[in-house]
Amino acid sequence: MTKQERAVRTRHALLRSAAAAFDQRGYAAATLSLISNGAGVSPGALHFHFENKAAIAAAVELEAADTLCMVATHVYMRQGSALQALADTSHALARAFTTDVVVRAGFQLGREAAYVSSLDLHKDWERYVHRLLARAAEQNTLQPGLSHRQMAAMVVAATVGFEVLGQGEREWVSAHSLTGFWRLILPSLATPEALCELDPTGGRLGVMSRS
Amino acid sequence: MTKQERAVRTRHALLRSAAAAFDQRGYAAATLSLISNGAGVSPGALHFHFENKAAIAAAVELEAADTLCMVATHVYMRQGSALQALADTSHALARAFTTDVVVRAGFQLGREAAYVSSLDLHKDWERYVHRLLARAAEQNTLQPGLSHRQMAAMVVAATVGFEVLGQGEREWVSAHSLTGFWRLILPSLATPEALCELDPTGGRLGVMSRS
């Protein structure tokens, strides 16, 4: 392994260790020695990569934002129907939240008063929801006469709620929970014709990721 | 003012000062000296009332829970329609959240990894939503064929989302936001007959509080 490969690997281990500490203990209680110990590296190695705790937290947030962006782009590019893409993205993000501690820590950091976040993952998600609903309107799949702004606010609020509640109880971010949500809410958003074609279960994602 | 009245007043000032510190800086950064200074009392007076920071945080949470319980009970007892009570309670809680720093701090503390909460305000809210939907079912005002569990999960997730997003941007917990939410969602929950009678704006609350 070259020196550069070792450095990349150490940085990655530090980010995951920091994310685990932020996720479980919060920003304030996640000490630098906890983080370096968790990554199995010396305090010196930590300081070689990151100036201080805020710099590690910013890197964790950035990696979480990158992951969310990749997940969303992946779904967005594959789906013809914007409403289907919206439901599928929420399922894919819930999976990322469940399986990736960096994603969880990214959201947790955004909610902590002790840490001034440089990003806003909720704002990114809000913009994405607005974009998909605008596209759904172009596709004539939205119920006429309803405010797109109110639709977007409802979807954003509910999905943020699932994520916050999921931090304590994972059942909230299960495929089952999200399927129940979309099953209930899609008839309020979609035209009857569009509704017949929509799958609220995130089931097509499984096919997508195997393809 | 008797000694006892002074003690009650000091305790109240300490709770509000602590709530403001938790709300603005988070649990870890809210030092005891910040809290006693904010209340205009000596560190000794603080220690007379509270053993440590965790004890103050627990008292803030308890007061927030009491306020929420009072708000919910007030609406619950006045309303005949359970669905109307559900919408009205969400409006009343949003007002409490906007105007009362102790309520905001109560929710903020529940979300902080740095503080192990003794209460669960979200769980209380979830139980209340379940109770109201069960009552709405008895009143035959719910759409038949839908899962009450899924309805409750959607309402809880969305309202928790409004509250979390409202911590950053107050517009999320405005009457306008909540009205938009209920206007969109009530047609999915209520029978057409019940829907005609429902007011999504929280407007009846104003009448109630003036009466």
Side-chain angles (χ1 to χ4, degrees):
Chain A
M1 191 158 41
T2 67
K3 202 172 162 183
Q4 203 183 350
E5 284 168 345
R6 259 203 312 279
V8 168
R9 202 171 281 199
T10 302
R11 190 176 187 281
H12 182 77
L14 281 165
L15 279 188
R16 298 206 77 77
S17 169
F22 296 145
D23 181 44
Q24 284 153 32
R25 298 163 184 262
Y27 180 73
T31 61
L32 289 178
S33 63
L34 256 175
I35 294 170
S36 57
N37 281 342
V41 306
S42 68
L46 187 152
H47 284 290
F48 174 79
H49 288 277
F50 299 103
E51 199 183 338
N52 51 33
K53 191 160 71 171
I56 310 183
V60 166
E61 275 196 302
L62 199 62
E63 193 178 307
D66 279 351
T67 303
L68 296 181
C69 181
M70 273 193 322
V71 166
T73 306
H74 181 80
V75 177
Y76 189 77
M77 287 176 61
R78 293 234 178 182
Q79 281 298 342
S81 155
L83 279 177
Q84 186 65 57
L86 189 57
D88 286 350
T89 310
S90 74
H91 277 283
L93 293 183
R95 284 190 206 172
F97 183 87
T98 308
T99 55
D100 188 342
V101 72
V102 173
V103 170
R104 276 202 303 285
F107 279 112
Q108 171 71 22
L109 285 167
R111 276 195 298 279
E112 288 213 40
Y115 171 71
V116 179
S117 175
S118 52
L119 295 168
D120 190 338
L121 300 183
H122 290 153
K123 206 79 198 163
D124 291 345
W125 172 235
E126 194 184 336
R127 271 192 287 266
Y128 183 79
V129 172
H130 276 282
R131 205 166 70 202
L132 280 183
L133 285 176
R135 205 170 151 199
E138 288 165 15
Q139 294 173 338
N140 295 316
T141 54
L142 291 188
Q143 286 268 14
L146 293 177
S147 150
H148 299 176
R149 235 181 115 87
Q150 285 174 2
M151 286 185 184
M154 190 274 293
V155 170
V156 170
T159 44
V160 167
F162 281 117
E163 171 243 314
V164 170
L165 292 159
Q167 203 93 27
E169 281 179 50
R170 286 291 186 273
E171 171 58 22
W172 282 100
V173 282
S174 65
H176 178 76
S177 277
L178 282 168
T179 301
F181 169 70
W182 289 112
R183 194 160 276 156
L184 196 65
I185 211 65
L186 282 173
S188 311
L189 304 183
T191 61
E193 302 75 42
L195 189 61
C196 304
E197 305 289 324
L198 293 171
D199 173 9
T201 68
R204 301 182 199 191
L205 281 179
V207 179
M208 277 163 46
S209 59
R210 277 198 298 276
S211 66
Chain B
M1 189 159 42
T2 66
K3 203 171 161 185
Q4 206 184 348
E5 284 168 344
R6 260 205 310 279
V8 169
R9 202 170 281 198
T10 303
R11 191 176 186 281
H12 182 77
L14 281 165
L15 279 188
R16 298 206 76 78
S17 169
F22 296 145
D23 181 45
Q24 285 154 31
R25 297 162 185 262
Y27 180 73
T31 60
L32 289 178
S33 63
L34 256 175
I35 295 170
S36 57
N37 282 342
V41 305
S42 69
L46 187 153
H47 284 292
F48 174 78
H49 286 277
F50 299 102
E51 199 184 338
N52 50 34
K53 191 161 70 172
I56 310 182
V60 166
E61 275 196 302
L62 200 61
E63 193 178 308
D66 279 350
T67 303
L68 297 181
C69 181
M70 274 193 321
V71 166
T73 308
H74 181 79
V75 176
Y76 189 77
M77 287 175 62
R78 294 233 177 183
Q79 281 297 341
S81 155
L83 278 178
Q84 187 64 59
L86 189 57
D88 285 351
T89 309
S90 75
H91 277 282
L93 293 182
R95 284 191 206 172
F97 183 87
T98 308
T99 55
D100 188 342
V101 72
V102 173
V103 170
R104 276 203 302 285
F107 279 111
Q108 170 70 24
L109 285 168
R111 275 195 298 278
E112 289 214 38
Y115 172 70
V116 179
S117 173
S118 52
L119 294 169
D120 190 336
L121 300 183
H122 289 153
K123 206 78 196 164
D124 291 346
W125 171 236
E126 195 184 336
R127 270 191 288 265
Y128 182 79
V129 172
H130 275 283
R131 206 166 68 201
L132 281 183
L133 286 175
R135 206 171 149 199
E138 288 164 16
Q139 294 173 339
N140 296 316
T141 54
L142 290 188
Q143 286 268 15
L146 293 177
S147 150
H148 299 176
R149 237 181 112 87
Q150 284 174 3
M151 285 185 184
M154 190 273 293
V155 171
V156 170
T159 45
V160 167
F162 281 118
E163 171 242 315
V164 170
L165 292 159
Q167 202 93 27
E169 280 178 52
R170 287 289 187 273
E171 170 58 21
W172 282 100
V173 282
S174 66
H176 178 76
S177 276
L178 282 167
T179 301
F181 169 69
W182 289 112
R183 193 160 278 157
L184 195 65
I185 211 65
L186 280 173
S188 310
L189 303 183
T191 60
E193 302 76 40
L195 189 62
C196 303
E197 304 289 324
L198 292 172
D199 174 9
T201 68
R204 301 182 198 191
L205 280 179
V207 179
M208 276 163 45
S209 60
R210 277 198 298 276
S211 68

